Amino acid sequence: MLSIFRSIPTHMDYKGQKLAEQIFQGIILVSAIIGFIFGYITEQFAWTVYIVMAGFALSCLLTLPPWPMYRRNPLKWLPVQDSGTEEKKPADRKPKRHSKS
């Protein structure tokens, strides 16, 4: 059972995060405007709240799961370098000299 959940990709690249944020903000903004106008016309504040909540639910459905459209630009990591990764001993380090002011 756990192998099924581990096979689901959970990452999103940086451009995907930006796209998800733009979609989220756009849906929230549009639903708020539509909700305000509809609530004003019907003189029911509850309709405004319902429409904004529906927009929030839709935006969550579209942006929270890591859909494939958010994983189109994977990062290209640098290869691991073996040289230069050894830790220097404290005796090998040069003491820092502070300039006198």
Side-chain angles (χ1 to χ4, degrees):
M1 182 74 170
L2 289 176
S3 63
I4 294 172
F5 292 118
R6 289 184 183 156
S7 67
I8 298 172
T10 58
H11 63 280
M12 192 183 292
D13 58 45
Y14 291 115
K15 289 184 181 180
Q17 289 176 2
K18 181 179 179 181
L19 177 63
E21 180 70 22
Q22 290 173 342
I23 290 172
F24 179 78
Q25 289 179 357
I27 291 173
I28 294 293
L29 179 66
V30 169
S31 68
I33 291 170
I34 292 171
F36 177 78
I37 292 171
F38 189 76
Y40 185 78
I41 291 171
T42 61
E43 296 179 1
Q44 292 289 321
F45 183 72
W47 278 105
T48 302
V49 174
Y50 295 148
I51 292 172
V52 171
M53 285 177 22
F56 177 75
L58 177 65
S59 65
C60 285
L61 180 67
L62 291 177
T63 59
L64 288 180
W67 299 109
M69 66 181 175
Y70 301 132
R71 293 184 274 124
R72 290 185 181 162
N73 303 302
L75 290 175
K76 294 178 179 75
W77 296 95
L78 294 175
V80 176
Q81 296 178 354
D82 291 332
S83 63
T85 58
E86 299 172 359
E87 263 188 60
K88 291 185 178 181
K89 295 178 185 175
D92 294 341
R93 294 183 185 164
K94 292 182 180 177
K96 292 184 180 179
R97 297 183 185 208
H98 299 286
S99 60
K100 295 180 181 178
S101 301

